[in-house]
Amino acid sequence: MKLCYSPTSPFARKVVVTAIEKGLRDQIEFTQPDLSDVFKGINPRNPLGKIPSLELANGEVLFDSIVIAEYLDGKEGKPTLFPSDVNEKAKVMTLHALANGMTDAAFSRRWGETMLPEGERSPSWNARLGLAVENSLYALEAMVDSFSGKVDIGTIAVGCGLGYLDFRFAEDNWRSGRQKLAQWYEEFAQRPSMRDTVPPEG
Ligand SMILES: N[C@@H](CCC(=O)N[C@@H](CS)C(=O)NCC(=O)O)C(=O)O
């Protein structure tokens, strides 16, 4: 299996954390995208131009991150990160949607604030994205008790999303006023899968 990824992508990190949690990291060949012109789309294997994507031995290509994560979870042995019970799965997938949406808003805000040429930046759109992040953090703080102690695709997405805020928006101090979430993250970030995938400086 060939994973097109970047160590700085929170979506790719979710996939790598999943692979480590499932003991599948050694089966993956890691490739990096061509970042020379990000406006062209960095991953030709995905029509959407995004990473991560996973190429299987038969040449099929899977995307996006949640599809790859579910594939890895079901690949060998019993799935453990995606519950089989329909009600339990709906809860976990909703937590994933919240965390992934927060990460997506933060990632888009970074693009909107730093990657777009000066004249094409939109303060009101960036503020809208910032509000989505703030509201998601507020919701996560309120629901920590419902996911505390669990390791599934929902909590992995929360961990990778908060890690991304530390990486790109440290000055916003997401921990302020969110003690329960901060405490949860402190512990979750100690998992070997999370420690091994901390984005590099820069
Ligand atoms: N929904 C996608 C989001 C992936 C995504 O936004 N990846 C970013 C890197 S963090 C990307 O490839 N951006 C390049 C682009 O949009 O052109 C997933 O979960 O895989």
Side-chain angles (χ1 to χ4, degrees):
M1 295 183 284
K2 245 188 235 173
L3 183 71
C4 184
Y5 95 119
S6 156
T8 60
S9 161
F11 307 101
R13 184 181 187 188
K14 188 176 70 190
V15 167
V16 181
V17 168
T18 298
I20 296 172
E21 292 288 346
K22 296 296 292 184
L24 294 172
R25 192 190 211 170
D26 292 350
Q27 296 187 29
I28 295 176
E29 184 188 330
F30 292 87
T31 65
Q32 302 227 10
D34 175 5
L35 297 174
S36 55
D37 182 353
V38 289
F39 290 101
K40 268 197 192 153
I42 60 177
N43 182 7
R45 304 313 311 271
N46 174 352
L48 302 168
K50 293 171 187 261
I51 56 163
S53 67
L54 184 73
E55 185 178 339
L56 306 181
N58 64 7
E60 270 176 48
V61 179
L62 307 184
F63 54 86
D64 53 25
S65 57
I66 188 70
V67 175
I68 302 172
E70 188 160 15
Y71 173 79
L72 294 176
D73 190 35
K75 196 170 156 49
E76 272 172 28
K78 195 170 156 326
T80 52
L81 303 173
F82 290 73
S84 52
D85 174 77
V86 66
N87 292 311
E88 207 37 51
K89 186 167 182 181
K91 257 195 252 171
V92 166
M93 295 306 277
T94 301
L95 179 62
H96 172 274
L98 175 60
N100 214 61
M102 176 184 81
T103 310
D104 210 28
F107 179 77
S108 300
R109 186 183 149 201
R110 179 162 188 275
W111 264 66
E113 287 179 348
T114 62
M115 308 282 278
L116 287 181
E118 289 278 355
E120 296 175 26
R121 297 179 186 174
S122 164
S124 54
W125 182 240
N126 293 334
R128 169 69 186 86
L129 295 170
L131 184 65
V133 173
E134 278 300 303
N135 287 343
S136 303
L137 287 167
Y138 183 84
L140 288 169
E141 170 73 6
M143 62 198 285
V144 171
D145 291 343
S146 70
F147 61 78
S148 188
K150 295 185 179 170
V151 180
D152 54 38
I153 199 61
T155 52
I156 290 173
V158 176
C160 293
L162 296 176
Y164 184 69
L165 296 184
D166 275 347
F167 179 47
R168 294 299 194 202
F169 294 95
E171 67 287 355
D172 285 359
N173 191 14
W174 64 263
R175 290 171 179 78
S176 171
R178 301 187 183 102
Q179 272 150 319
K180 286 169 87 172
L181 189 60
Q183 208 175 343
W184 173 85
Y185 180 68
E186 235 33 67
E187 202 177 308
F188 195 81
Q190 294 311 313
R191 296 187 69 74
S193 60
M194 292 292 290
R195 290 168 64 111
D196 271 15
T197 55
V198 173
E201 289 298 320

